[in-house]
Amino acid sequence: MALPACAVRAFEPPRQPEQGAPARTTCPRQHSRVEAELAASRPGSVAASVRSGPPRGVSHGLHSRPLLDKPRKASSSLAGAVCAPLFALLSRGRRRRMHVLRRRWDLGSLCRVLLTRGLAALGHSLKHVLGAIFSKIFGPLASVGNMDEKSNKLLLALVMLFLFAVIVLQYVCPGTECQLLRLQAFSSPVPDPYRSEDESSARFVPRYNFTRGDLLRKVDFDIKGDDLIVFLHIQKTGGTTFGRHLVRNIQLEQPCECRVGQKKCTCHRPGKRETWLFSRFSTGWSCGLHADWTELTSCVPSVVDGKRDARLRPSRWRIFQILDAASKDKRGSPNTNAGANSPSSTKTRNTSKSGKNFHYITILRDPVSRYLSEWRHVQRGATWKASLHVCDGRPPTSEELPSCYTGDDWSGCPLKEFMDCPYNLANNRQVRMLSDLTLVGCYNLSVMPEKQRNKVLLESAKSNLKHMAFFGLTEFQRKTQYLFEKTFNMNFISPFTQYNTTRASSVEINEEIQKRIEGLNFLDMELYSYAKDLFLQRYQFMRQKEHQEARRKRQEQRKFLKGRLLQTHFQSQGQGQSQNPNQNQSQNPISNANQNLTQNLTQNLMQNLTQSSSQKENRESLKQNSGKEQNDNTSNGTNDYIGSVEKWR
């Protein structure tokens, strides 16, 4: 049997280089080629593995055939010796590519080995470190008895789990006091986000007695109709944040359109080119910079009636014309006495000639914190010179409202100088901006004595605040969100955030300065105490009403399910009795009596359900026919709440 030529050349002795020719080993490339050929001839070498195919993850290419066919199982060493030199038959470029692939494959395997060994060494060292720590901590316990390897692994796992839990806890709750660790969170299955806010107790002792109409705030706000929300923005009360929530954070059929780089947003009604919100971020300062109650109640109806699109800001002269006309109408009307601020006159003020309903809202803040925040804002150069302070159709004169500084602004003023100015509008600002200034002669202090003036202003501010559609407190952000959603039936997208660190909180004052600030703002202190009491009572009343409605719904669902279950059960028994009536009567007289009894109970239950549903329909019809408030069944929750208030007192 004749051998192939390649096999014959494989068994021949190596040829000697000709005389005068350079040796093969002098050329690095030829020398590496010879070594590659020799390595390929050895069984089990890397070259042999390369000969069987490319490394894992390397393809032959789309239009190229495999470099070499897969080697068949050799029956003898002769076949391996015959196929070994086939690697040398490849072209030089093909062999070069094979060498590059082999180097890459070797480098990848080397990296994998190094990574595996490095991780193993790291785990081993970590195990020793944790073992040393564990031995230091639990050394006395380990000295009691020799622990086997399984117990050591279990304890190591527990220690690792404890460390991981500590890290997660520090990430979730970085503060020193975490609400997740309080006992209230463990007592209730679902934590209440409104239960404790700013370390305030969930229940408080009320100081004022309010009626059901004062506590229940439910506005049937028709965004597609003629209703309008008017936001009275008092300086440094968090009104900017709340105003942004109104235009950016409410779930609406047609959300407000806010463009980048513009402060104002377009808040149109669905299908109309009219705004439903009168605020800084929707219509701008259409009635002047930080307009108060006196300016808004005179300006807003005229602006809305005069311009169907309230987005266009009227000129300064136009604002004076509007307020002058409103003041003339007011002087010509019979409601010019001190009783013009009654709830009946407030309702007439909240409507315009075109039939629009105005719902006024505002935000209040602790007087001391608000005063310090305004002082820091004035230090940075704020003046609010653009405020009109229009009252009774005209702005105040320089004698009625002197300035506290002589230059362009009051930047850099110390706190003592800020408190020493008797004409500073920061003093009792919240009472002044919420009261009807026409009742005391506007800014003319000579109309009535100071004591009487302060009393009239405080009572006017309390009355206006109580009859507003909604007001919130800066110190209770989540409760403010809850009451707004329940009042207007409008939900926010994301919850409000309570910021406990502000510029005012960074100011360190002693007890003497704090008492002086409280004395300068004694009207605001009284108003804030009244507002906080009313706010928290409204919140508790709404929460109690919500719980009662949820309990009533659960009871109705249980009754309905019981009735359905009994009805299906007796229907199935009735079908069985209709099939074998004689047999059942003769064999089971006691079971028949029990079935009759259960049928009677079922009929009584169904009658009770029908009666309750009919009573519910009658109550709904009475509500629709009569315009009175709920007196009979719905007043139970109110009586319970008022009774609980009397107990707390």
Side-chain angles (χ1 to χ4, degrees):
M1 179 177 177
L3 295 175
C6 62
V8 173
R9 286 197 299 269
F11 286 101
E12 289 180 357
R15 298 181 181 181
Q16 297 293 330
E18 297 180 1
Q19 191 174 5
R24 286 183 178 269
T25 56
T26 57
C27 181
R29 184 175 298 176
Q30 293 180 359
H31 180 69
S32 61
R33 185 177 63 185
V34 171
E35 288 182 353
E37 291 177 358
L38 293 175
S41 62
R42 301 191 189 98
S45 61
V46 177
S49 63
V50 172
R51 186 176 67 249
S52 62
R56 186 176 183 181
V58 180
S59 62
H60 294 286
L62 295 175
H63 303 289
S64 62
R65 294 180 300 174
L67 299 178
L68 288 175
D69 296 335
K70 294 182 180 179
R72 301 174 182 176
K73 293 182 179 179
S75 59
S76 62
S77 61
L78 181 62
V82 170
C83 297
L86 293 179
F87 183 77
L89 300 177
L90 299 175
S91 61
R92 181 176 299 176
R94 189 70 66 87
R95 287 198 300 270
R96 187 181 301 132
R97 286 196 294 271
M98 291 294 294
H99 285 302
V100 171
L101 291 175
R102 186 181 64 183
R103 292 193 190 97
R104 291 180 180 175
W105 183 65
D106 292 340
L107 183 61
S109 62
L110 179 61
C111 291
R112 286 194 295 271
V113 171
L114 291 177
L115 182 61
T116 304
R117 293 186 178 180
L119 291 176
L122 181 62
H124 189 67
S125 60
L126 183 62
K127 180 180 178 181
H128 280 287
V129 171
L130 293 177
I133 296 174
F134 180 78
S135 62
K136 291 290 185 180
I137 297 175
F138 300 99
L141 296 177
S143 61
V144 177
N146 295 326
M147 297 184 180
D148 54 354
E149 187 177 359
K150 292 183 179 180
S151 61
N152 290 334
K153 290 182 178 180
L154 180 60
L155 292 175
L156 181 62
L158 292 176
V159 171
M160 293 292 292
L161 182 62
F162 175 74
L163 293 176
F164 179 75
V166 170
I167 294 172
V168 171
L169 183 63
Q170 289 295 325
Y171 178 76
V172 174
C173 181
T176 57
E177 294 183 359
C178 184
Q179 294 183 0
L180 296 175
L181 299 179
R182 293 185 179 180
L183 296 177
Q184 291 85 352
F186 292 101
S187 61
S188 59
V190 179
D192 189 359
Y194 311 103
R195 186 166 181 82
S196 62
E197 187 176 24
D198 284 348
E199 299 181 359
S200 62
S201 58
R203 278 198 169 189
F204 71 104
V205 179
R207 297 175 53 191
Y208 301 91
N209 291 326
F210 296 103
T211 62
R212 183 180 184 277
D214 298 334
L215 298 179
L216 181 59
R217 273 292 179 268
K218 188 70 175 177
V219 176
D220 189 11
F221 184 74
D222 187 10
I223 193 173
K224 297 182 180 179
D226 295 328
D227 293 348
L228 184 69
I229 295 178
V230 182
F231 180 37
L232 195 158
H233 186 178
I234 303 176
Q235 288 95 319
K236 312 312 294 178
T237 58
T240 301
T241 303
F242 185 77
R244 290 197 180 100
H245 280 302
L246 293 177
V247 298
R248 299 176 184 269
N249 195 23
I250 293 185
Q251 296 178 0
L252 297 173
E253 180 181 351
Q254 182 178 345
C256 297
E257 182 182 354
C258 301
R259 298 181 180 179
V260 180
Q262 295 183 0
K263 293 183 178 180
K264 292 192 298 182
C265 302
T266 304
C267 299
H268 283 163
R269 305 180 191 273
K272 297 182 181 180
R273 293 189 60 82
E274 296 180 0
T275 184
W276 57 269
L277 178 63
F278 194 93
S279 68
R280 168 189 178 184
F281 293 105
S282 59
T283 59
W285 303 111
S286 298
C287 292
L289 179 62
H290 288 286
D292 54 16
W293 171 268
T294 308
E295 293 174 299
L296 287 178
T297 52
S298 302
C299 173
V300 172
S302 302
V303 168
V304 175
D305 292 339
K307 294 181 179 293
R308 300 294 296 177
D309 191 0
R311 293 179 302 141
L312 301 177
R313 178 181 177 181
S315 61
R316 192 180 183 91
W317 178 250
R318 175 60 180 163
I319 293 175
F320 280 116
Q321 287 181 342
I322 291 171
L323 295 174
D324 189 17
S327 63
K328 289 180 180 179
D329 294 340
K330 182 181 176 183
R331 285 194 296 267
S333 62
N335 293 329
T336 56
N337 52 5
N341 201 35
S342 61
S344 60
S345 63
T346 305
K347 291 181 181 179
T348 58
R349 280 186 175 189
N350 291 343
T351 58
S352 63
K353 295 179 181 179
S354 60
K356 291 184 178 295
N357 299 320
F358 302 120
H359 305 285
Y360 289 89
I361 62 175
T362 189
I363 300 292
L364 298 181
R365 188 180 179 182
D366 176 70
V368 177
S369 300
R370 198 214 63 80
Y371 189 85
L372 293 174
S373 180
E374 182 171 347
W375 165 63
R376 293 293 299 270
H377 198 56
V378 169
Q379 271 192 331
R380 296 190 298 270
T383 58
W384 296 297
K385 287 182 178 180
S387 299
L388 302 178
H389 303 296
V390 177
C391 178
D392 204 6
R394 66 175 182 85
T397 61
S398 58
E399 291 80 10
E400 294 176 345
L401 190 61
S403 178
C404 290
Y405 54 91
T406 56
D408 295 334
D409 54 20
W410 208 4
S411 59
C413 71
L415 180 58
K416 186 177 184 304
E417 182 181 351
F418 189 77
M419 292 187 297
D420 290 340
C421 180
Y423 310 106
N424 194 350
L425 292 178
N427 301 335
N428 297 314
R429 181 182 289 276
Q430 297 182 97
V431 170
R432 180 181 56 80
M433 293 188 67
L434 289 175
S435 61
D436 189 358
L437 296 179
T438 59
L439 301 176
V440 294
C442 297
Y443 293 91
N444 189 2
L445 303 180
S446 61
V447 174
M448 61 179 65
E450 182 180 1
K451 187 175 182 180
Q452 183 181 359
R453 175 187 174 88
N454 293 334
K455 183 179 179 181
V456 173
L457 287 177
L458 182 59
E459 293 299 325
S460 176
K462 287 182 179 180
S463 178
N464 292 333
L465 186 69
K466 183 173 65 175
H467 293 98
M468 274 186 173
F470 163 80
F471 73 91
L473 299 181
T474 309
E475 289 76 18
F476 302 95
Q477 291 290 322
R478 297 297 300 274
K479 293 181 176 65
T480 299
Q481 176 185 356
Y482 175 81
L483 288 179
F484 183 88
E485 291 177 348
K486 295 299 180 183
T487 302
F488 291 96
N489 196 18
M490 302 169 69
N491 296 324
F492 289 96
I493 300 173
S494 59
F496 288 9
T497 304
Q498 184 71 46
Y499 296 102
N500 296 324
T501 56
T502 59
R503 291 188 176 93
S505 62
S506 62
V507 179
E508 296 181 359
I509 57 175
N510 53 27
E511 187 177 356
E512 182 182 357
I513 295 178
Q514 183 174 357
K515 288 183 178 180
R516 186 179 179 187
I517 294 175
E518 292 176 357
L520 292 173
N521 297 271
F522 68 99
L523 295 178
D524 278 3
M525 295 294 294
E526 183 66 25
L527 177 65
Y528 184 78
S529 176
Y530 176 85
K532 184 178 179 180
D533 194 279
L534 177 58
F535 177 84
L536 294 178
Q537 285 199 43
R538 281 181 179 177
Y539 168 75
Q540 287 192 351
F541 177 75
M542 296 297 292
R543 294 284 287 179
Q544 188 173 0
K545 184 180 178 183
E546 183 181 7
H547 292 330
Q548 290 177 357
E549 291 179 355
R551 191 184 303 112
R552 180 180 56 81
K553 289 181 180 179
R554 288 195 299 267
Q555 291 176 357
E556 291 181 355
Q557 289 178 357
R558 291 193 192 100
K559 290 180 180 180
F560 178 74
L561 292 176
K562 287 180 181 179
R564 290 291 300 272
L565 180 61
L566 292 173
Q567 184 178 4
T568 54
H569 176 68
F570 292 119
Q571 283 179 358
S572 61
Q573 286 187 355
Q575 292 177 0
Q577 289 179 2
S578 62
Q579 292 177 0
N580 299 320
N582 298 326
Q583 184 178 359
N584 293 331
Q585 290 178 2
S586 60
Q587 293 181 359
N588 298 323
I590 300 175
S591 64
N592 291 332
N594 292 332
Q595 289 177 1
N596 293 329
L597 180 61
T598 52
Q599 286 180 0
N600 294 329
L601 292 175
T602 306
Q603 291 178 359
N604 294 331
L605 179 60
M606 296 301 295
Q607 289 177 1
N608 293 331
L609 290 175
T610 54
Q611 288 178 2
S612 63
S613 61
S614 62
Q615 289 178 2
K616 183 179 178 182
E617 292 177 357
N618 293 331
R619 287 198 301 268
E620 291 179 354
S621 62
L622 288 174
K623 290 178 187 178
Q624 294 177 358
N625 294 331
S626 62
K628 299 180 181 180
E629 296 180 351
Q630 301 174 353
N631 297 322
D632 300 331
N633 297 324
T634 56
S635 62
N636 294 330
T638 309
N639 295 331
D640 295 341
Y641 179 78
I642 298 299
S644 61
V645 169
E646 294 296 333
K647 290 180 181 178
W648 298 340
R649 292 175 63 86

